[in-house]
Amino acid sequence: SSGINAEWPLRPGGLGFGLHTFVLYLGPHIAGVTIAAWECGTTDFPSPPYPDTIICPPAGVPRHRITLWNILNKIRPESMMWGLGTALGELPPYFMGRAARISGQDDEVDDLLTNSEDTEEKKSCMVKFRLYIQQLVEKSGFLGVLLCASIPNPLFDVAGITCGYLLFPFTTFFIAIVIGKAVIKVHLQMLMVVLLFTRNNLKLVEEGIESIPYVGHFLYRPVEEYMNQTRITLHRSTSTHIQQSQSTLSIIFDVFIGIMIIFFLVAIINGMARRKFRNHYNERYEIILNETDDSISSCY
Protein backbone atom coordinates (compact mmCIF):
# COMPACT_ATOMS: atom_id res chain seq x y z
CA SER A 1 0.00 0.00 0.00
CA SER A 2 1.17 3.50 -0.71
CA GLY A 3 1.76 5.63 2.35
CA ILE A 4 -0.57 8.56 1.91
CA ASN A 5 -0.82 11.44 4.32
CA ALA A 6 -3.73 13.86 4.59
CA GLU A 7 -1.70 16.52 2.76
CA TRP A 8 -1.16 14.47 -0.39
CA PRO A 9 -4.75 14.60 -1.73
CA LEU A 10 -4.54 18.42 -1.81
CA ARG A 11 -1.77 18.38 -4.39
CA PRO A 12 -3.75 18.61 -7.69
CA GLY A 13 -2.98 21.87 -9.47
CA GLY A 14 -5.52 21.98 -12.26
CA LEU A 15 -5.18 21.30 -15.96
CA GLY A 16 -5.35 17.53 -15.61
CA PHE A 17 -3.32 16.81 -12.47
CA GLY A 18 -6.31 15.46 -10.49
CA LEU A 19 -6.42 12.28 -12.56
CA HIS A 20 -2.66 11.78 -12.20
CA THR A 21 -2.70 12.12 -8.40
CA PHE A 22 -5.51 9.58 -8.22
CA VAL A 23 -3.53 7.06 -10.27
CA LEU A 24 -0.28 7.69 -8.40
CA TYR A 25 -1.44 8.10 -4.80
CA LEU A 26 -5.09 7.83 -3.85
CA GLY A 27 -5.99 4.86 -6.07
CA PRO A 28 -3.17 2.63 -4.73
CA HIS A 29 -4.05 3.71 -1.18
CA ILE A 30 -7.70 2.69 -1.61
CA ALA A 31 -6.60 -0.61 -3.16
CA GLY A 32 -4.19 -1.25 -0.28
CA VAL A 33 -6.84 -0.54 2.37
CA THR A 34 -9.32 -2.83 0.59
CA ILE A 35 -6.84 -5.72 0.33
CA ALA A 36 -5.78 -5.24 3.96
CA ALA A 37 -9.37 -5.12 5.23
CA TRP A 38 -10.19 -8.48 3.69
CA GLU A 39 -6.88 -10.01 4.76
CA CYS A 40 -7.00 -8.70 8.35
CA GLY A 41 -10.74 -9.07 8.91
CA THR A 42 -10.97 -5.49 10.19
CA THR A 43 -10.42 -1.87 9.21
CA ASP A 44 -9.08 -0.91 12.66
CA PHE A 45 -5.44 -0.80 11.60
CA PRO A 46 -2.86 0.27 14.23
CA SER A 47 -2.19 4.00 14.01
CA PRO A 48 0.66 4.70 13.82
CA PRO A 49 1.95 3.34 11.46
CA TYR A 50 -1.33 3.80 9.51
CA PRO A 51 -1.76 5.53 7.07
CA ASP A 52 1.93 5.46 6.12
CA THR A 53 2.01 1.67 6.50
CA ILE A 54 -0.87 -0.76 6.88
CA ILE A 55 -0.50 -3.78 9.17
CA CYS A 56 -3.06 -6.05 10.79
CA PRO A 57 -3.87 -5.49 14.49
CA PRO A 58 -2.63 -8.05 17.08
CA ALA A 59 -4.42 -11.37 17.43
CA GLY A 60 -6.37 -10.30 20.54
CA VAL A 61 -8.10 -7.38 18.84
CA PRO A 62 -11.73 -8.25 17.90
CA ARG A 63 -12.49 -8.66 14.20
CA HIS A 64 -15.72 -7.65 12.54
CA ARG A 65 -17.57 -8.50 9.36
CA ILE A 66 -16.06 -6.67 6.39
CA THR A 67 -18.60 -4.81 4.30
CA LEU A 68 -18.38 -2.34 1.48
CA TRP A 69 -19.63 0.38 3.83
CA ASN A 70 -16.82 -0.31 6.37
CA ILE A 71 -14.13 0.14 3.73
CA LEU A 72 -15.74 3.28 2.27
CA ASN A 73 -15.94 4.82 5.76
CA LYS A 74 -12.24 4.10 6.30
CA ILE A 75 -11.05 5.81 3.12
CA ARG A 76 -13.66 8.59 2.93
CA PRO A 77 -11.71 11.39 4.72
CA GLU A 78 -8.59 11.28 2.52
CA SER A 79 -10.68 10.65 -0.59
CA MET A 80 -12.88 13.68 0.01
CA MET A 81 -9.78 15.78 0.70
CA TRP A 82 -8.46 14.66 -2.68
CA GLY A 83 -11.79 15.62 -4.24
CA LEU A 84 -11.57 19.03 -2.61
CA GLY A 85 -8.05 19.38 -4.04
CA THR A 86 -9.28 18.61 -7.55
CA ALA A 87 -12.08 21.17 -7.09
CA LEU A 88 -9.54 23.82 -6.08
CA GLY A 89 -7.47 22.77 -9.09
CA GLU A 90 -10.31 23.83 -11.40
CA LEU A 91 -10.12 27.44 -10.25
CA PRO A 92 -7.06 28.47 -12.37
CA PRO A 93 -8.77 27.47 -15.68
CA TYR A 94 -11.91 29.35 -14.56
CA PHE A 95 -9.99 32.53 -13.74
CA MET A 96 -7.91 32.30 -16.94
CA GLY A 97 -11.09 32.13 -19.02
CA ARG A 98 -12.64 34.97 -17.00
CA ALA A 99 -9.54 37.17 -17.39
CA ALA A 100 -9.45 36.52 -21.16
CA ARG A 101 -13.11 37.57 -21.48
CA ILE A 102 -12.68 40.74 -19.42
CA SER A 103 -9.54 41.76 -21.33
CA GLY A 104 -11.15 40.94 -24.67
CA GLN A 105 -8.44 38.43 -25.61
CA ASP A 106 -10.56 35.72 -27.24
CA ASP A 107 -7.45 34.22 -28.85
CA GLU A 108 -6.13 33.37 -25.39
CA VAL A 109 -9.22 31.23 -24.75
CA ASP A 110 -8.67 29.36 -28.00
CA ASP A 111 -5.02 28.77 -27.01
CA LEU A 112 -6.12 27.40 -23.64
CA LEU A 113 -8.66 25.04 -25.20
CA THR A 114 -6.48 23.78 -28.04
CA ASN A 115 -2.86 22.89 -28.64
CA SER A 116 -0.98 24.29 -31.61
CA GLU A 117 0.30 20.79 -32.30
CA ASP A 118 -3.19 19.26 -32.40
CA THR A 119 -4.66 18.14 -35.69
CA GLU A 120 -7.50 20.11 -37.24
CA GLU A 121 -9.86 17.24 -36.45
CA LYS A 122 -8.95 17.32 -32.77
CA LYS A 123 -9.26 21.11 -32.65
CA SER A 124 -12.69 20.80 -34.26
CA CYS A 125 -13.74 18.29 -31.58
CA MET A 126 -12.58 20.67 -28.83
CA VAL A 127 -14.60 23.51 -30.39
CA LYS A 128 -17.69 21.29 -30.57
CA PHE A 129 -17.18 20.20 -26.95
CA ARG A 130 -16.76 23.83 -25.89
CA LEU A 131 -20.01 24.78 -27.64
CA TYR A 132 -21.78 21.84 -26.00
CA ILE A 133 -20.52 22.88 -22.55
CA GLN A 134 -21.50 26.48 -23.27
CA GLN A 135 -25.05 25.45 -24.17
CA LEU A 136 -25.26 23.14 -21.14
CA VAL A 137 -24.07 25.85 -18.74
CA GLU A 138 -26.32 28.53 -20.26
CA LYS A 139 -29.42 26.31 -20.16
CA SER A 140 -28.86 24.37 -16.93
CA GLY A 141 -26.61 26.70 -14.91
CA PHE A 142 -25.71 25.12 -11.56
CA LEU A 143 -27.00 21.68 -12.54
CA GLY A 144 -25.00 21.73 -15.77
CA VAL A 145 -21.72 22.44 -13.97
CA LEU A 146 -22.62 19.86 -11.30
CA LEU A 147 -23.22 17.22 -13.98
CA CYS A 148 -19.88 17.93 -15.66
CA ALA A 149 -18.05 17.78 -12.32
CA SER A 150 -19.77 14.62 -11.07
CA ILE A 151 -18.41 12.21 -13.67
CA PRO A 152 -14.75 11.23 -14.24
CA ASN A 153 -14.12 13.76 -16.99
CA PRO A 154 -10.51 14.59 -17.99
CA LEU A 155 -11.83 17.44 -20.18
CA PHE A 156 -13.48 19.32 -17.32
CA ASP A 157 -10.80 22.03 -17.68
CA VAL A 158 -12.65 23.01 -20.86
CA ALA A 159 -15.80 23.45 -18.80
CA GLY A 160 -13.91 25.57 -16.25
CA ILE A 161 -12.41 27.83 -18.93
CA THR A 162 -15.79 28.14 -20.66
CA CYS A 163 -17.57 29.02 -17.40
CA GLY A 164 -14.97 31.69 -16.72
CA TYR A 165 -15.29 33.07 -20.24
CA LEU A 166 -19.08 33.24 -19.87
CA LEU A 167 -18.60 35.17 -16.57
CA PHE A 168 -20.48 32.40 -14.75
CA PRO A 169 -20.95 33.45 -11.07
CA PHE A 170 -17.93 32.26 -9.07
CA THR A 171 -19.87 31.18 -5.96
CA THR A 172 -22.26 29.06 -8.00
CA PHE A 173 -19.39 27.55 -9.98
CA PHE A 174 -17.32 26.72 -6.89
CA ILE A 175 -20.20 25.16 -4.93
CA ALA A 176 -21.13 23.03 -7.95
CA ILE A 177 -17.60 21.68 -8.49
CA VAL A 178 -17.07 21.01 -4.77
CA ILE A 179 -20.28 18.97 -4.54
CA GLY A 180 -19.60 17.26 -7.86
CA LYS A 181 -15.93 16.45 -7.37
CA ALA A 182 -15.52 16.15 -3.58
CA VAL A 183 -18.76 14.23 -2.96
CA ILE A 184 -20.35 12.58 -5.99
CA LYS A 185 -17.36 11.79 -8.23
CA VAL A 186 -15.15 10.79 -5.30
CA HIS A 187 -17.64 8.17 -4.14
CA LEU A 188 -18.01 6.80 -7.66
CA GLN A 189 -14.24 6.36 -7.96
CA MET A 190 -13.94 4.95 -4.43
CA LEU A 191 -16.66 2.43 -5.19
CA MET A 192 -15.01 1.42 -8.46
CA VAL A 193 -11.61 0.71 -6.87
CA VAL A 194 -13.02 -1.00 -3.77
CA LEU A 195 -15.20 -3.33 -5.85
CA LEU A 196 -12.25 -4.20 -8.09
CA PHE A 197 -10.02 -5.16 -5.14
CA THR A 198 -12.50 -7.08 -3.01
CA ARG A 199 -11.33 -10.61 -2.28
CA ASN A 200 -13.65 -12.38 -4.75
CA ASN A 201 -13.17 -9.92 -7.60
CA LEU A 202 -9.40 -9.81 -7.10
CA LYS A 203 -9.33 -13.60 -7.29
CA LEU A 204 -11.29 -13.46 -10.55
CA VAL A 205 -8.79 -10.93 -11.94
CA GLU A 206 -5.85 -13.16 -10.97
CA GLU A 207 -7.50 -16.19 -12.58
CA GLY A 208 -8.23 -14.15 -15.70
CA ILE A 209 -4.59 -13.08 -15.97
CA GLU A 210 -3.37 -16.64 -15.48
CA SER A 211 -5.74 -17.98 -18.14
CA ILE A 212 -4.36 -15.72 -20.89
CA PRO A 213 -2.93 -18.05 -23.56
CA TYR A 214 0.87 -18.33 -23.83
CA VAL A 215 1.75 -15.35 -21.61
CA GLY A 216 -0.70 -15.77 -18.72
CA HIS A 217 1.76 -17.69 -16.54
CA PHE A 218 4.46 -15.04 -16.95
CA LEU A 219 2.04 -12.18 -16.26
CA TYR A 220 0.56 -13.91 -13.21
CA ARG A 221 3.92 -14.61 -11.55
CA PRO A 222 4.69 -10.98 -10.51
CA VAL A 223 1.08 -10.53 -9.33
CA GLU A 224 1.31 -13.65 -7.15
CA GLU A 225 4.70 -12.54 -5.84
CA TYR A 226 3.33 -9.13 -4.90
CA MET A 227 0.24 -10.54 -3.15
CA ASN A 228 2.30 -13.02 -1.12
CA GLN A 229 4.70 -10.26 -0.06
CA THR A 230 1.75 -8.02 0.86
CA ARG A 231 0.24 -10.72 3.10
CA ILE A 232 3.56 -11.19 4.91
CA THR A 233 3.85 -7.43 5.45
CA LEU A 234 0.30 -7.11 6.76
CA HIS A 235 0.71 -9.83 9.41
CA ARG A 236 3.94 -8.56 10.96
CA SER A 237 3.88 -6.82 14.35
CA THR A 238 4.44 -3.11 14.80
CA SER A 239 7.86 -3.76 16.35
CA THR A 240 8.98 -6.21 13.67
CA HIS A 241 10.94 -5.00 10.70
CA ILE A 242 10.96 -7.26 7.66
CA GLN A 243 13.70 -6.78 5.15
CA GLN A 244 11.97 -7.16 1.82
CA SER A 245 13.20 -7.32 -1.71
CA GLN A 246 11.14 -5.20 -4.07
CA SER A 247 8.65 -7.24 -6.06
CA THR A 248 8.55 -7.18 -9.84
CA LEU A 249 5.12 -5.53 -9.78
CA SER A 250 6.41 -2.78 -7.47
CA ILE A 251 9.34 -2.15 -9.79
CA ILE A 252 6.98 -1.89 -12.78
CA PHE A 253 4.78 0.56 -10.88
CA ASP A 254 7.80 2.65 -9.85
CA VAL A 255 8.91 2.81 -13.48
CA PHE A 256 5.38 3.86 -14.45
CA ILE A 257 5.45 6.65 -11.85
CA GLY A 258 8.83 7.81 -13.14
CA ILE A 259 7.55 7.94 -16.71
CA MET A 260 4.48 9.95 -15.68
CA ILE A 261 6.61 12.46 -13.73
CA ILE A 262 8.89 12.90 -16.74
CA PHE A 263 5.81 13.37 -18.92
CA PHE A 264 4.53 16.09 -16.55
CA LEU A 265 7.83 17.95 -16.69
CA VAL A 266 8.10 17.69 -20.49
CA ALA A 267 4.49 18.90 -20.90
CA ILE A 268 5.13 21.89 -18.63
CA ILE A 269 8.35 22.82 -20.44
CA ASN A 270 6.67 22.46 -23.85
CA GLY A 271 3.78 24.66 -22.74
CA MET A 272 6.13 27.37 -21.46
CA ALA A 273 8.18 27.20 -24.68
CA ARG A 274 5.08 27.50 -26.89
CA ARG A 275 3.84 30.52 -24.95
CA LYS A 276 7.29 32.15 -25.06
CA PHE A 277 7.53 31.57 -28.81
CA ARG A 278 4.01 32.91 -29.42
CA ASN A 279 4.70 36.07 -27.41
CA HIS A 280 8.01 36.60 -29.24
CA TYR A 281 6.29 36.06 -32.61
CA ASN A 282 3.51 38.51 -31.78
CA GLU A 283 6.05 41.14 -30.71
CA ARG A 284 8.06 40.72 -33.91
CA TYR A 285 4.87 40.84 -35.98
CA GLU A 286 3.82 44.11 -34.35
CA ILE A 287 7.27 45.63 -34.99
CA ILE A 288 7.27 44.58 -38.65
CA LEU A 289 3.69 45.80 -39.09
CA ASN A 290 4.55 49.20 -37.59
CA GLU A 291 7.69 49.52 -39.75
CA THR A 292 5.63 48.69 -42.86
CA ASP A 293 3.01 51.31 -41.95
CA ASP A 294 5.75 53.90 -41.42
CA SER A 295 7.32 53.05 -44.79
CA ILE A 296 3.99 53.40 -46.58
CA SER A 297 3.29 56.69 -44.83
CA SER A 298 6.70 58.10 -45.82
CA CYS A 299 5.98 57.34 -49.50
CA TYR A 300 3.06 59.70 -49.37
Side-chain angles (χ1 to χ4, degrees):
S1 171
S2 65
I4 182 168
N5 297 316
E7 66 200 45
W8 276 109
L10 286 173
R11 299 288 178 162
L15 297 177
F17 279 88
L19 175 63
H20 306 323
T21 51
F22 182 85
V23 173
L24 296 179
Y25 300 109
L26 185 60
H29 175 67
I30 296 175
V33 170
T34 305
I35 293 173
W38 287 102
E39 182 66 26
C40 301
T42 181
T43 56
D44 297 328
F45 310 123
S47 177
Y50 181 85
D52 293 324
T53 304
I54 302 177
I55 60 174
C56 296
V61 176
R63 265 52 174 177
H64 55 77
R65 182 170 175 265
I66 297 299
T67 64
L68 182 65
W69 187 251
N70 295 144
I71 300 175
L72 292 178
N73 283 337
K74 186 69 175 179
I75 59 178
R76 184 174 287 112
E78 52 264 50
S79 298
M80 293 188 70
M81 290 292 286
W82 172 83
L84 178 60
T86 61
L88 294 175
E90 299 301 338
L91 297 184
Y94 171 85
F95 284 116
M96 285 188 288
R98 187 181 182 90
R101 175 63 180 271
I102 293 175
S103 63
Q105 297 177 343
D106 293 350
D107 292 341
E108 290 292 328
V109 176
D110 294 333
D111 290 338
L112 291 172
L113 294 176
T114 60
N115 188 329
S116 59
E117 298 176 358
D118 290 341
T119 62
E120 291 300 325
E121 181 180 358
K122 186 174 181 180
K123 289 181 179 180
S124 176
C125 291
M126 294 297 289
V127 171
K128 290 179 181 178
F129 184 76
R130 175 186 167 189
L131 292 175
Y132 172 76
I133 293 297
Q134 180 175 342
Q135 294 172 0
L136 182 63
V137 171
E138 289 177 342
K139 291 181 179 179
S140 305
F142 177 87
L143 292 178
V145 179
L146 180 64
L147 176 63
C148 293
S150 298
I151 57 176
N153 178 13
L155 296 177
F156 186 80
D157 293 324
V158 177
I161 295 171
T162 303
C163 288
Y165 184 76
L166 294 175
L167 301 181
F168 195 79
F170 171 75
T171 304
T172 305
F173 174 78
F174 185 65
I175 293 174
I177 62 174
V178 167
I179 295 175
K181 287 184 172 290
V183 180
I184 301 175
K185 191 187 78 158
V186 156
H187 281 81
L188 290 176
Q189 292 182 265
M190 286 165 53
L191 189 63
M192 178 183 66
V193 177
V194 171
L195 288 176
L196 178 62
F197 285 91
T198 55
R199 177 175 291 173
N200 292 335
N201 291 341
L202 190 59
K203 187 175 181 180
L204 290 175
V205 172
E206 292 176 358
E207 292 175 352
I209 294 174
E210 192 175 16
S211 64
I212 298 176
Y214 305 111
V215 296
H217 177 70
F218 299 100
L219 295 177
Y220 176 71
R221 188 180 301 169
V223 176
E224 183 183 30
E225 176 189 356
Y226 176 78
M227 293 305 300
N228 290 336
Q229 184 172 314
T230 299
R231 293 186 182 98
I232 294 173
T233 303
L234 287 173
H235 288 287
R236 77 180 192 273
S237 65
T238 55
S239 59
T240 303
H241 176 72
I242 299 178
Q243 187 68 28
Q244 300 181 34
S245 59
Q246 201 171 18
S247 68
T248 305
L249 197 61
S250 298
I251 294 174
I252 294 173
F253 187 71
D254 288 343
V255 171
F256 172 72
I257 291 177
I259 293 174
M260 290 198 69
I261 292 175
I262 292 173
F263 174 78
F264 297 160
L265 295 176
V266 171
I268 292 173
I269 293 172
N270 283 340
M272 294 173 63
R274 284 196 300 269
R275 181 169 291 273
K276 180 71 174 179
F277 175 78
R278 185 174 61 249
N279 292 339
H280 178 72
Y281 176 82
N282 290 338
E283 290 175 1
R284 293 294 301 168
Y285 180 77
E286 290 292 335
I287 293 174
I288 294 173
L289 187 61
N290 292 334
E291 290 177 351
T292 303
D293 290 341
D294 292 339
S295 299
I296 295 175
S297 300
S298 63
C299 293
Y300 293 96

